[in-house]
Amino acid sequence: VSRTATKGLLMHLGCDVTTAGSSEECLRVVSPEHQVVFMDVCTGLDGYELAVRIQEKFMKRHDRPLIVALTG
């Protein structure tokens, strides 16, 4: 429910939104085009490990998306 509500709000604000159902899927789809990653509780890696892996994926610091943790 929170993913749907957050996606709807962001789309209403004019954002392009990509969703992922797991940490592994997030790592596959996140790219330099993504400016912000909103993370909720996900299956697979814990939030800290996922954030580290996202940062490691991008060599240049300015290519890394801002990571924001969400919780219900």
Side-chain angles (χ1 to χ4, degrees):
V1 173
S2 63
R3 184 185 329 168
T4 304
T6 303
K7 180 180 178 180
L9 176 62
L10 291 170
M11 290 177 68
H12 178 73
L13 294 171
C15 300
D16 291 325
V17 178
T18 303
T19 60
S22 69
S23 54
E24 291 81 10
E25 183 181 4
C26 178
L27 284 171
R28 278 194 309 273
V29 301
V30 70
S31 72
E33 295 174 358
H34 294 97
Q35 296 176 346
V36 180
V37 173
F38 290 99
M39 289 193 316
D40 199 351
V41 175
C42 34
T43 59
L45 303 171
D46 65 40
Y48 178 79
E49 183 64 27
L50 179 56
V52 168
R53 296 252 187 113
I54 290 171
Q55 289 183 345
E56 289 173 346
K57 184 174 177 173
F58 301 99
M59 298 298 287
K60 298 177 184 172
R61 185 178 180 105
H62 67 273
D63 285 342
R64 296 176 185 165
L66 173 68
I67 300 172
V68 179
L70 298 176
T71 184

